[in-house]
Amino acid sequence: MAPLEPWEKVFITAAYSETRHGDIQCTFCHGGAQSADMETAHAGMIADPSTGANNVCATCHEDQSKHFDQSMHASLGGYWETINARSGLETHPSLETMFGNHCAACHTSCGDCHISQPGSVGGGFVDGHIINKTPSMTRNCTACHGSRVGNEYLGKNEDLPGDVHFRQGRMNCVACHTGADMHGEDYGDTPPANRYDGPQAPACTDCHAEAIAAESENVMHQAHGEKLACQVCHSITYTSCDGCHVAISDKTGNPFYETEATYRTFFIGQNVLKNENRPYNYVTVRHVPISPTSYQFYGENLLPNFDALPTWAYTTPHNIQLKTPQTSACENCHASTDLFLTADKVKPEELNANATVIVTNLPPSMDEINNAAKMPAGHANFKPGMCASCHTDLPARHVGRIESACIVCHRLP
Amino acid sequence: MQKAKLAILLGLGMFILAACGAAVTQTAAPQPTEPAVQPASTLPPTATMAPVVDECLACHTDKDKLVSLAKPEEDKEGESKGVG
């Protein structure tokens, strides 16, 4: 996205005055003074009056503003959750300085989505200060979420198709990520700790209700049920990153970052966030750009509990396809280790951090499934998950397999 | 005869006027009351409407003026490397 010229960033179009907000005197929101002299007019002016405790938008838009401070876009809460988990009390002050210098700029205000491009891409009015109810997909949403989500969704990664919801559905971000979700209108008193906390919003089944295993006519959905996240079968190669390091420039005094590597992966890992909202055993995982030395500019060993969280993290790639390499043949998952995050694919120094994600017991091969002994007819009334109550002496190859999945191979006659 | 009718009508009119006057004098004089207390407004403060000549808009809608006043900006992300 080409940056705006300095004058263009603050150029108000004549059309703005024709809008409802154009009836409001500029100084009502921005402060400053009505004066032809620039210095006088700008004295005490608030460039973005939609941020902080005195958010002027809340004057009229109470519902949208009520919980916004608790939303991920405003609080960046997910970042602090991971930083806190990997750090300790004694390292916290240094990390707060780091966060202020490098992360807090990603904080989003009402204006960052509805009036201007985000500050992280240089700011400037998207549409001559016209306040757009629906943010621009490319100049607001993917201006921040561009390098992974935007490129995947829009098909900008070489040789990889864009998301079917964009290619065929021409859906923009807000078609799934509603304003109410972005504003945190449904949070109540308990905001989620990160974007994978609480109910899925959005969930694939919001639109594809027929895909839910018990109701599905699709035999693959019936067989895999809620054991697999939708993306395990319906997403394709996506972006992983290694070793982001931050520092302050000696030359300019500006903060900067440097990532060691960016590469394409597709790996299925174990779901460490398993709960009623995300009941899957397996999910797609990507390498996040954290390293034990990411923040070493601010001090030594600032992440003493680095192994507390995986570096291969739960991810929901935005490149959904009906047909993928996984769906093309059962053997792609049921005879191959290629798609699974096995220990050999993890850096030795990160094995401990990823112990709960690494897949240690691969799915049975199709031969094993097809030739497995049938379950006696008398077992028909037994509930899934009961098998191990009697079958305590399981073969070694069964160790680690999901108990409720016995019937996948050992079918009823 | 006509004089008699006129006299009767005149008398009737005077009677009605006298009755009205009596009714007026019987009306109780209004007692002084406490001035009504207006509840504090629960509405948000009203946004000030834009004046006919808005100095802010006069400048910020003038492309040539903005171009002449604009200062070059430094690239704050210039030293960053890799995907952000």
Side-chain angles (χ1 to χ4, degrees):
Chain A
M1 189 174 68
L4 296 174
E5 294 293 329
W7 66 268
E8 204 175 5
K9 292 181 179 179
V10 294
F11 178 62
I12 300 174
T13 56
Y16 171 70
S17 296
E18 304 301 318
T19 66
R20 189 161 190 179
H21 289 95
D23 287 339
I24 303 169
Q25 194 171 342
C26 305
T27 50
F28 176 79
C29 296
H30 290 281
Q34 283 287 339
S35 170
D37 175 63
M38 191 171 83
E39 298 296 327
T40 307
H42 287 180
M45 193 197 77
I46 304 163
D48 183 356
S50 69
T51 192
N54 297 318
N55 176 1
V56 73
C57 305
T59 307
C60 296
H61 302 280
E62 188 182 352
D63 287 346
Q64 289 80 8
S65 308
K66 193 162 49 181
H67 296 297
F68 182 67
D69 283 351
Q70 298 173 319
S71 73
M72 292 286 132
H73 275 107
S75 70
L76 304 177
Y79 283 96
W80 272 119
E81 195 196 22
T82 58
I83 291 171
N84 287 341
R86 291 186 172 113
S87 64
L89 280 176
E90 64 281 2
T91 63
H92 216 264
S94 299
L95 291 169
E96 287 173 18
T97 304
M98 180 283 301
F99 192 87
N101 288 341
H102 301 279
C103 310
C106 288
H107 159 99
T108 308
S109 68
C110 309
D112 285 334
C113 293
H114 296 284
I115 302 176
S116 301
Q117 298 181 157
S120 57
V121 291
F125 301 149
V126 169
D127 199 4
H129 202 287
I130 289 175
I131 299 171
N132 293 314
K133 182 175 182 181
T134 303
S136 159
M137 181 164 71
T138 54
R139 296 184 64 189
N140 293 114
C141 308
T142 62
C144 288
H145 302 280
S147 57
R148 288 189 299 106
V149 173
N151 287 348
E152 289 165 8
Y153 190 71
L154 301 171
K156 289 184 176 178
N157 290 330
E158 193 173 354
D159 299 329
L160 294 171
D163 194 297
V164 68
H165 298 95
F166 178 69
R167 282 190 294 107
Q168 294 189 12
R170 310 311 293 177
M171 291 162 65
N172 62 8
C173 304
V174 298
C176 295
H177 300 280
T178 65
D181 289 339
M182 297 299 98
H183 300 145
E185 290 173 37
D186 301 326
Y187 282 177
D189 296 325
T190 313
N194 61 63
R195 66 178 183 271
Y196 296 127
D197 188 21
Q200 294 190 48
C204 302
T205 50
D206 291 345
C207 293
H208 300 283
E210 78 286 355
I212 298 174
E215 302 163 12
S216 178
E217 295 178 358
N218 182 317
V219 292
M220 289 297 111
H221 288 183
Q222 291 171 6
H224 297 99
E226 292 186 330
K227 293 189 282 291
L228 308 181
C230 306
Q231 292 83 1
V232 167
C233 295
H234 291 290
S235 68
I236 55 175
T237 305
Y238 45 83
T239 303
S240 281
C241 296
D242 281 359
C244 182
H245 289 79
V246 295
I248 298 292
S249 168
D250 290 335
K251 286 186 290 186
T252 64
N254 288 331
F256 70 95
Y257 63 83
E258 189 169 344
T259 46
E260 288 172 358
T262 300
Y263 49 96
R264 305 275 158 70
T265 54
F266 180 95
F267 286 131
I268 301 164
Q270 297 196 79
N271 178 15
V272 296
L273 304 178
K274 191 172 180 177
N275 58 39
E276 61 179 358
N277 295 308
R278 290 168 183 77
Y280 321 115
N281 296 317
Y282 296 102
V283 297
T284 42
V285 292
R286 69 178 282 260
H287 195 274
V288 291
I290 192 70
S291 102
T293 56
S294 282
Y295 312 132
Q296 68 179 359
F297 177 84
Y298 293 89
E300 291 298 318
N301 196 27
L302 292 185
L303 300 175
N305 302 316
F306 186 78
D307 290 348
L309 293 176
T311 56
W312 285 92
Y314 188 121
T315 190
T316 47
H318 280 61
N319 51 19
I320 298 300
Q321 317 290 329
L322 176 62
K323 294 179 180 175
T324 64
Q326 305 88 284
T327 64
S328 64
C330 302
E331 288 76 10
N332 289 346
C333 290
H334 286 280
S336 169
T337 63
D338 292 350
L339 300 179
F340 292 90
L341 186 77
T342 46
D344 58 302
K345 300 180 183 99
V346 177
K347 294 176 187 172
E349 65 271 26
E350 295 182 6
L351 284 171
N352 283 339
N354 293 289
T356 53
V357 184
I358 292 169
V359 177
T360 53
N361 209 302
L362 293 161
S365 70
M366 291 310 295
D367 280 345
E368 196 179 349
I369 292 171
N370 293 329
N371 296 326
K374 294 283 183 285
M375 196 178 290
H379 287 35
N381 294 328
F382 291 170
K383 292 179 181 175
M386 292 176 63
C387 309
S389 302
C390 298
H391 298 276
T392 53
D393 190 20
L394 293 172
R397 67 180 185 279
H398 284 53
V399 174
R401 281 188 187 156
I402 306 148
E403 199 181 322
S404 59
C406 302
I407 199 168
V408 172
C409 300
H410 303 284
R411 294 168 191 160
L412 287 162
Chain B
M1 187 65 184
Q2 279 194 334
K3 282 185 181 176
K5 280 184 181 174
L6 191 61
I8 292 169
L9 283 172
L10 192 62
L12 191 61
M14 289 180 69
F15 174 76
I16 291 170
L17 282 172
C20 287
V24 168
T25 54
Q26 285 169 6
T27 304
Q31 298 296 312
T33 56
E34 292 289 324
V37 177
Q38 296 294 322
S41 173
T42 55
L43 295 172
T46 308
T48 314
M49 304 306 276
V52 177
V53 178
D54 188 309
E55 298 289 0
C56 311
L57 284 177
C59 183
H60 281 268
T61 54
D62 186 340
K63 177 181 169 182
D64 294 336
K65 194 168 189 176
L66 291 177
V67 169
S68 68
L69 290 170
K71 295 173 183 172
E73 296 177 327
E74 61 173 325
D75 181 9
K76 290 188 176 177
E77 291 290 336
E79 292 176 72
S80 293
K81 292 177 186 170
V83 174

